[in-house]
Amino acid sequence: MNKLRNATITAVGMYVPPKILNNKYFEKIVDTNDEWIITRTGIKERRIIEDGATSDLAARACQDLFNNSKVKPEEIDCIIVATVTPDMFFPATACLVQDKIGAKNAWGFDLSAACSGFLFALKTGASLVESGSYNKVLVVGADKMSSITDYTDRNTCVLFGDAASAVLLEPSESMEFGIIDQLLFVDGSGKDALHMKAGGSLNPATHETIDKKWHYIYQDGKAVFKVAVKGMADVSYDIMKKNGLSSDDVAYLVPHQANLRIIDATAERMGISKDKVMINIHKYGNTTAATIPLCLTEYYRDGKIKKGDNLILSAFGAGYTWGAIYLKWSLA
Ligand code: ACO
């Protein structure tokens, strides 16, 4: 596709709630232990919001972005919220965020792609900028996973956390920087391995669906692990090759944080060393749409990303959904 211009990330923001649930806490509520959780997933602790919904996580992340940039809420043209835990089916969480942050000139919408949500939203937002239609698009990854987690199911409850993170997309100063390329996929035949059964039009909420715990995450971990490890590794390798990048050319892999073993396998396939892999899974667990922008925000603020760095963002999630984005960082 011919682009009029590139879209690039010009500001970042994040919010993680203060309440921490560490692995020891889970030893008290289900049959698990700290050692199993760390060795099988890499997670040590995760955050849980006690005073709000997904739109509150998202609005606080956007507020943090505004506090750290010159952009004002009223300048925002569009807000895209990637989430699988919207406050309500409707209105869209993007509308609630728009109101909470005072982005009075923005339109917006939600995008549902589970753990790949941020990547899909980033490309969608970039297209709005690349086409010349809009100049300031907020892309938010936000999930209150605690709202759909069964805290009696050891298979899933140790994995997830709540968080939000936001990036601002604006036109790049040159075609050299910004979002350069992407490989994005869905395969709905994966729906049986990872889903939330009830609450939608297939199984509207009833007493029976509640009794059956159908409003919680269901995951066949082993089945998802097998496809996720191959899917994320292959797509990350493929986007490098497609763009003629060697492992030396890549400054960082920015992977979705579902399982450290999936991340390690991806880095290995790309031939990159561990010090070039952004990691925050030990602190926050799997925060679904928020993991990738959280990594970007924390590493940028720690001074670890430089202007001109080649970043490969990659994810795999429910759907199945998966993909990778190649971007050249433009913030100094
Ligand atoms: N503590 C102790 N034992 C546990 C726990 C726990 N918290 N959870 C599961 N086990 C047990 C299982 O019951 C099983 O016992 P069994 O052998 O007696 O049946 C044993 O540990 C091994 O279970 P596995 O499922 O094989 O464990 P595995 O090594 O696969 O790890 C995990 C499980 C971490 C879930 C892994 O499969 C995984 O990461 N899967 C992919 C997750 C992913 O990428 N999801 C996509 C993104 S999420 C989204 O889109 C919303």
Side-chain angles (χ1 to χ4, degrees), residues 37 41 88 119 166 217 244:
I37 302 172
T41 71
M88 296 174 262
L119 292 193
I217 303 158

Side-chain angles (χ1 to χ4, degrees), residues 31-33 36-37 40-41 84 114-115 145 154-155 158-160 194 219 221-222 224-225 228 256 258-259 261-262 286 288 316-318:
D31 179 14
T32 191
N33 59 76
W36 190 96
I37 302 172
R40 304 313 289 163
T41 71
V84 287
C115 296
M145 295 306 286
R154 71 173 182 176
N155 291 295
V158 301
L159 304 175
F160 296 97
L194 181 50
Q219 174 167 255
K222 225 173 274 190
V224 179
F225 186 88
H256 170 56
N259 188 313
R261 290 180 289 144
I262 298 175
N286 182 351
T288 304
F316 191 97

